[in-house]
Amino acid sequence: FATLGLTHHNNETVEPIISFQQEFPARKGWSGRLDTVAGLQADLRLLNSTSATVQGVVRAGDDFEPRLRMAYLRQQFGADAALRVGRFRSPFYLDSDVAEIGYAYLLARPPMPVYGYLANLVTHVDGADFQWRRSFGSFGVLVQGYGGRSSGDLWFFNTTPIEKADLELSGIYGLALTVGFANVTVRGSPTRVDRLSLRSSQIEQLNGGLTQVAGGRRAIASDPRLPAPFAAGLVSKAAAIDGYRNPYDGRPVYTSLGFDANIDRLRLIGEWAAFDSRSPTIGRSRGGQLTAGYAWGNITPYVSVARNSRRPGALDTSALSPTGLDPQLDGAIAQLSAAFVEAPVFADRSTSSVSVGLRWDVRENAAIKLQFDQLRTPSPMVPGVMAVRRLPIDNRVNLFSASLNFIF
């Protein structure tokens, strides 16, 4: 499968991305970075009920560096059940299984406010899933239970130079339920993660500063000339500062509920998605999208609206108050306090979009898509689902896309 895509926008302050794992955003003017992708999948039947699948992908946004998306063994148990072991696409959201296969979805890309932050953050799971399928008269059911871990690179575009962070998710487990009727498919999926960790040199520098500041408070508190209540307060705040380390770590919960319906020529697609990071720095996000298309022969015009909004976490940085006793220590505390003011701001991915487009199925395995998106964030101080070097920004982006999508 492949997508050859071009985009154009005139915003000098932001650069659209499909996820924060994308190293090279779509810059001002014409760019092929956002959507251009090619993939190859191989399926090998080893025995009558045993098979192997491998899928590799290269993206222009990753400088065409090969990525292994799937590599698993599949064992069929009778007609209804199967077990997969290895690497498979993350099954968190409605279009997760066909992510990057542009021909498989109606739009030029899944709506960016939802998929640009919530879904595309985790491209795969290394582990196992068990699938059970059964038909019941006029409808069918697929139950998928899965567990494992995942890892990848995340890019901090607001640093100089742009910094790569290591993303690790361990203890992933979830359940997806899909119910298919004649004209409607409904899918819901809750997923929990025991531990999400994000590590980079910038975070390590922050951790080192916190250790020094906490140690400085404890050193001052050891002075016998200080009143006991004041010294106890210094020690208590030092313990609180220890808890500020690794501010982006959490135990996130993903939730998705979506549908895809065909009513004569009308196609409706909707999805509600939620992400609770369980991190006071990142907070919680809620999003949704609704898409409608109407087919005239092999041409389908469509319109789509999407939104993702963030609710801040309860980040309490009161422990980073000056001591009033050591100017050098208080200067370091002021720098750390400023960093913790900035961190939640750049974690705000609230974005809304309105998209209109046209899909032309030129052949049974190829489609041309033209699409216009208007992306907005709530204010110039909210970066949204885009690569942002500094704030404030021009918080409106008019994005034009043209793509050729095909499978072979």
Side-chain angles (χ1 to χ4, degrees):
F1 58 90
T3 295
L4 304 177
L6 281 176
T7 60
H8 186 278
H9 72 93
N10 285 322
N11 194 312
E12 296 181 347
T13 62
V14 303
E15 298 171 340
I17 50 178
I18 62 150
S19 82
F20 287 89
Q21 290 201 17
Q22 180 178 335
E23 183 178 358
F24 300 100
R27 295 180 176 173
K28 178 184 175 182
W30 291 102
S31 174
R33 296 288 195 180
L34 191 64
D35 298 316
T36 299
V37 58
L40 186 64
Q41 179 172 320
D43 299 288
L44 176 64
R45 182 169 297 279
L46 303 173
L47 299 170
N48 285 338
S49 57
T50 307
S51 62
T53 296
V54 177
Q55 184 190 92
V57 167
V58 293
R59 298 195 65 92
D62 296 325
D63 207 21
F64 295 104
E65 182 177 343
R67 309 285 187 181
L68 184 64
R69 297 297 196 227
M70 296 195 298
Y72 62 80
L73 289 173
R74 186 177 189 276
Q75 179 63 49
Q76 187 76 28
F77 298 99
D80 299 330
L83 175 68
R84 297 190 301 177
V85 178
R87 172 170 294 187
F88 48 91
R89 290 272 185 177
S90 60
F92 298 175
Y93 294 92
L94 183 66
D95 279 337
S96 294
D97 288 344
V98 294
E100 300 179 298
I101 306 176
Y103 181 81
Y105 32 82
L106 177 62
L107 281 72
R109 69 194 69 84
M112 294 168 68
V114 178
Y115 279 75
Y117 174 53
L118 299 180
N120 293 338
L121 190 66
V122 183
T123 59
H124 63 270
V125 174
D126 294 327
D129 75 339
F130 184 80
Q131 300 179 357
W132 179 80
R133 302 173 187 267
R134 176 65 63 87
S135 295
F136 298 91
S138 62
F139 69 95
V141 174
L142 167 62
V143 180
Q144 179 184 11
Y146 49 89
R149 61 179 302 278
S150 187
S151 62
D153 298 332
L154 218 61
W155 294 92
F156 290 163
F157 293 100
N158 60 310
T159 61
T160 303
I162 295 172
E163 184 170 290
K164 181 174 70 173
D166 296 324
L167 175 68
E168 296 278 347
L169 294 90
S170 58
I172 299 171
Y173 57 95
L175 181 71
L177 173 64
T178 304
V179 181
F181 299 91
N183 298 318
V184 181
T185 298
V186 180
R187 187 180 188 278
S189 175
T191 305
R192 290 182 176 269
V193 180
D194 284 341
R195 183 169 182 265
L196 181 152
S197 66
L198 199 60
R199 298 291 179 268
S200 70
S201 60
Q202 186 184 50
I203 292 175
E204 292 307 318
Q205 290 177 4
L206 177 65
N207 289 343
L210 292 169
T211 299
Q212 291 179 357
V213 165
R217 284 189 179 274
R218 292 188 178 97
I220 294 175
S222 65
D223 190 332
R225 295 171 294 179
L226 290 178
F230 189 82
L234 288 170
V235 172
S236 176
K237 288 187 175 180
I241 289 172
D242 288 335
Y244 294 160
R245 293 190 180 93
N246 303 314
Y248 296 108
D249 286 13
R251 301 176 60 240
V253 177
Y254 298 82
T255 310
S256 168
L257 179 62
F259 70 90
D260 191 342
N262 290 277
I263 307 169
D264 195 15
R265 296 182 180 183
L266 178 65
R267 185 175 180 187
L268 294 175
I269 305 168
E271 185 167 15
W272 173 84
F275 171 66
D276 185 353
S277 69
R278 293 197 279 183
S279 160
T281 304
I282 299 175
R284 294 181 292 170
S285 294
R286 300 288 186 271
Q289 65 98 357
L290 181 63
T291 300
Y294 194 85
W296 274 287
N298 58 356
I299 295 177
T300 306
Y302 56 83
V303 61
S304 178
V305 293
R307 184 180 181 184
N308 166 40
S309 59
R310 171 182 177 261
R311 182 176 297 177
L315 180 62
D316 180 8
T317 58
S318 59
L320 291 173
S321 59
T323 65
L325 300 174
D326 186 331
Q328 185 174 358
L329 177 61
D330 287 349
I333 290 173
Q335 289 182 339
L336 288 171
S337 181
F340 275 93
V341 169
E342 183 180 85
V345 172
F346 275 94
D348 191 343
R349 304 305 175 186
S350 301
T351 310
S352 61
S353 70
V354 177
S355 307
V356 292
L358 183 74
R359 174 182 174 130
W360 176 25
D361 286 276
V362 293
R363 298 180 60 180
E364 64 178 8
N365 65 336
I368 293 174
K369 301 175 189 177
L370 302 176
Q371 183 168 311
F372 174 80
D373 304 91
Q374 185 172 93
L375 301 161
R376 286 178 180 265
T377 71
S379 80
M381 296 303 295
V382 176
V385 290
M386 289 171 281
V388 171
R389 297 304 307 273
R390 61 189 62 85
L391 296 172
I393 60 170
D394 177 357
N395 65 315
R396 185 179 71 178
V397 181
N398 294 321
L399 180 69
F400 172 76
S401 307
S403 64
L404 170 63
N405 309 262
F406 54 93
I407 55 177
F408 54 90

